[in-house]
Amino acid sequence: MTRRTQGATGTRMKHALSVTRAQNFAEWYQEVIAEAELAEESGVRGCMVIKPWGYGIWERIQTLMDAQIKAAGVENCYFPLFIPLSYFAREADHVDGFAKEMAVVTHHRLIADGKGGLVPDPEAKLEEPLIVRPTSETVIGAAMSRWVQSWRDLPMLTNQWANVVRWEMRTRMFLRTSEFLWQEGHTAHADKDDAMRETLRALEMYRAFSEGPLAMPVIAGEKPENERFPGADATYSIEAMMQDGKALQAGTSHYLGTTFAEAAGIRYQDKDGGLALCHTTSWGTSTRMIGGVIMTHGDDDGLRCPPQIAPQQIVIVPMLRDNEEDEAVLHYARGLADELRGAGQAFCEPVRVLLDTKGAKAQAKRWGWVKKGAPLIVEVGPRDVAGGNVAVIRRDRLYTAEGKLASAIVARADFVAQAAATLEDIQASLHAEAKARLDANIRRDVTDLAAHYAGDDKFAGWVEVQWARPTGAALEAIVEQLKGLKLTMRNAPLDAAAADGACFFTGEKAVERILIGRTY
């Protein structure tokens, strides 16, 4: 419950969570996940159980993004979880980039160890180790080498929704886990120009999806050379700013050149009868997006879920008291739910409504839904039935200016008529709040990074500087300098102003601008 209490320093707010963002952002994040019933530990380090509300958010992300993927002519397919080690060995940079994160299967059977336990059977050792899928460029490349024969087969546009495993040493739910869910697009093209169009199309899809359904503003741009996907010619990302000022890479798109095509033998006969290597791309997003939504929109009472991805957009809580009035309240609430479902569409879809009839106290259910972030929480009691009203709580505006719960009494007919528009307004409100925070916390006048980022706990947002895109030893020196300040280069924004000065790091003529910040 949230209430105002009187202390030695005056009136203060007590929130539904035991820790606030200002007190400890990392602990707050974990408590939101627990109290919003999004996920929990599984007993295997780095692997999480995604609970129904959390998985419902992922299903919404899947549904909406899958429609956009298919609208671009990309077809879904599925590839094996296990990949032969030899597939990775064909592409040296790629295997080197993932080697420390690979989970390896070496045996196919267990036997009793004579002490009440089980051990791998030495007689069941695999002839070739299998890698548990960390990403699928190699196995999909092998398939494309069979599927692509002629220029008529191109472009080949595929995508899969799957789980992947990257053995992380330091894990955090949704942000960095050993197993996570994602989609990965893989495409093959006749030339660089067509492949680059696909790379940037996927990037724009991610940007628009983040800004739209997730209400999470991002910066789209190209990653520096040291941050490229292993084996890629170019990597692009969308970067979101969390409420603690850190960056979250929420999606990536890679132009792979012909490197993977050469390793896998993806060739096609051109119109002149000659053989040519395909140019390939890959692009992906994951359940990390849910972590981004939490840290972008959450408050000290839990999650605030953007309506477009909320499993339930309106939750009706009947105020039951175990007396003769309860049946009338339930009848009224059921009729309200039916009216809302048939009253119109929000975001071109029917409104999603849940009537919560679980046997818990109404106040506990209200705060449970507040913590889960249901966009609209509607309470119905005997007086509402008698007056033809409902009590409405907007999750994006939980309190009045005086700190009281902002529960508005609204005529039932008016609420039903306005419900879809209200959901769309909540979506826009969450985006506007996050966009204002992003814009206010990108500095372009910083001359001393160490001074600006002084102190581990200082909120400093991001810094945009001009640079000359150095390579080799010069780039390595910059990376080490930033590492000492716990900083990284995020991306060079595609919509940044043209460079017009000297490189922040080398003093040479700058060619573009790049964002710097702390990151997850």
Side-chain angles (χ1 to χ4, degrees):
M1 184 188 302
T2 307
R3 62 184 184 276
R4 294 182 79 86
T5 59
Q6 189 72 30
T9 58
T11 303
R12 63 183 177 85
M13 189 77 73
K14 184 174 181 181
H15 292 277
L17 303 184
S18 66
V19 61
T20 67
R21 292 160 291 173
Q23 289 169 335
N24 189 316
F25 196 80
E27 287 186 17
W28 166 84
Y29 174 78
Q30 293 299 131
E31 188 169 0
V32 172
I33 291 173
E35 293 296 317
E37 299 184 359
L38 298 171
E40 65 183 14
E41 299 291 346
S42 69
V44 177
R45 190 190 60 78
C47 296
M48 60 182 173
V49 174
I50 305 177
K51 300 175 81 171
W53 187 252
Y55 196 76
I57 293 172
W58 179 243
E59 286 183 310
R60 288 295 303 158
I61 290 172
Q62 244 187 318
T63 297
L64 296 172
M65 185 173 289
D66 195 58
Q68 294 185 18
I69 289 171
K70 289 173 178 172
V74 182
E75 295 181 297
N76 282 340
C77 52
Y78 184 78
F79 291 87
L81 177 66
F82 300 120
I83 304 173
L85 177 61
S86 59
Y87 281 30
F88 287 92
R90 296 170 187 169
E91 214 300 300
D93 289 341
H94 188 63
V95 72
D96 184 60
F98 284 102
K100 294 180 180 179
E101 300 176 347
M102 288 183 180
V104 186
V105 179
T106 57
H107 292 72
H108 65 78
R109 184 172 61 240
L110 299 175
I111 58 172
D113 64 359
K115 302 176 183 178
L118 296 170
V119 294
D121 183 351
E123 300 299 320
K125 187 174 183 180
L126 299 177
E127 291 186 12
E128 179 181 2
L130 298 174
I131 306 301
V132 184
R133 174 177 54 217
T135 183
S136 299
E137 278 75 13
T138 56
V139 67
I140 293 180
M144 284 183 171
S145 71
R146 301 188 298 271
W147 298 349
V148 175
Q149 299 297 321
S150 162
W151 61 271
R152 295 182 179 86
D153 300 320
L154 299 174
M156 180 160 288
L157 310 175
T158 64
N159 175 70
Q160 75 166 341
W161 293 90
N163 62 334
V164 294
V165 171
R166 297 178 185 175
W167 211 252
E168 296 282 356
M169 299 306 295
R170 300 178 63 184
T171 62
R172 187 176 298 181
M173 281 193 282
F174 290 112
L175 298 181
R176 195 170 292 278
T177 51
S178 296
E179 180 192 19
F180 55 91
L181 306 180
W182 77 346
Q183 58 75 213
E184 50 179 322
H186 297 269
T187 69
H189 305 262
D191 54 43
K192 178 179 179 178
D193 287 346
D194 198 49
M196 280 299 300
R197 278 191 290 272
E198 174 61 19
T199 302
L200 296 176
R201 181 208 64 78
L203 180 73
E204 171 56 21
M205 176 181 70
Y206 293 152
R207 186 207 63 75
F209 189 86
S210 184
E211 299 264 0
L214 304 186
M216 185 169 71
V218 294
I219 303 293
E222 184 175 1
K223 302 290 278 187
E225 179 184 309
N226 64 295
E227 294 280 349
R228 286 178 189 160
F229 179 73
D233 282 14
T235 288
Y236 298 83
S237 71
I238 54 169
E239 304 284 336
M241 182 181 288
M242 305 296 96
Q243 290 183 61
D244 61 351
K246 291 184 180 179
L248 183 76
Q249 180 178 287
T252 52
S253 186
H254 317 285
Y255 167 59
L256 304 176
T258 58
T259 302
F260 286 87
E262 186 168 9
I266 312 174
R267 292 179 169 82
Y268 69 97
Q269 187 176 53
D270 61 27
K271 294 179 180 180
D272 298 323
L275 282 179
L277 286 169
C278 288
H279 292 250
T280 63
T281 81
S282 66
W283 30 272
T285 56
S286 73
T287 39
R288 171 174 266 230
M289 279 186 159
I290 298 177
V293 167
I294 295 169
M295 292 193 292
T296 298
H297 301 304
D299 63 15
D300 294 335
D301 292 286
L303 177 63
R304 295 188 300 171
C305 194
Q308 274 193 274
I309 60 167
Q312 302 294 341
Q313 296 168 316
I314 303 174
V315 175
I316 302 171
V317 178
M319 312 293 281
L320 305 178
R321 295 169 181 166
D322 294 324
N323 59 30
E324 66 280 359
E325 295 179 310
D326 284 358
E327 186 53 43
V329 171
L330 281 171
H331 179 75
Y332 186 89
R334 292 189 190 103
L336 174 63
D338 290 340
E339 277 189 76
L340 287 166
R341 293 186 185 108
Q345 294 191 330
F347 315 103
C348 302
E349 295 181 289
V351 174
R352 296 184 294 283
V353 184
L354 174 69
L355 174 60
D356 186 350
T357 58
K358 288 184 178 179
K361 291 184 178 179
Q363 188 181 47
K365 289 198 286 188
R366 171 210 292 167
W367 288 103
W369 288 111
V370 165
K371 288 185 282 189
K372 286 185 175 184
L376 285 171
I377 302 165
V378 180
E379 296 179 317
V380 175
R383 282 187 292 182
D384 299 304
V385 174
N389 298 321
V390 292
V392 181
I393 299 169
R394 276 182 60 143
R395 184 60 184 89
D396 63 325
R397 301 173 186 170
L398 195 57
Y399 301 108
T400 66
E402 294 76 29
K404 296 180 180 179
L405 185 68
S407 180
I409 305 301
V410 182
R412 171 174 169 166
D414 290 344
F415 174 69
V416 171
Q418 297 164 6
T422 302
L423 290 169
E424 293 182 356
D425 186 61
I426 293 171
Q427 185 86 20
S429 171
L430 290 174
H431 180 271
E433 180 183 319
K435 183 68 164 65
R437 182 171 57 245
L438 172 67
D439 291 344
N441 289 285
I442 298 178
R443 292 278 299 277
R444 296 175 176 85
D445 59 350
V446 172
T447 58
D448 186 335
L449 292 174
H452 182 67
Y453 287 98
D456 288 343
D457 298 326
K458 175 179 169 61
F459 181 101
W462 304 344
V463 171
E464 183 183 280
V465 300
Q466 302 192 55
W467 81 317
R469 288 191 89 164
T471 60
L475 177 58
E476 291 175 11
I478 293 170
V479 171
E480 286 302 309
Q481 174 190 342
L482 294 175
K483 187 177 179 180
L485 297 172
K486 299 180 180 179
L487 300 172
T488 60
M489 290 177 282
R490 303 317 307 150
N491 68 25
L494 296 182
D495 62 356
D500 58 3
C503 176
F504 182 88
F505 301 102
T506 68
E508 298 174 3
K509 183 179 180 181
V511 298
E512 64 185 5
R513 298 170 188 265
I514 195 162
L515 292 171
I516 295 169
R518 292 190 172 133
T519 186
Y520 282 97

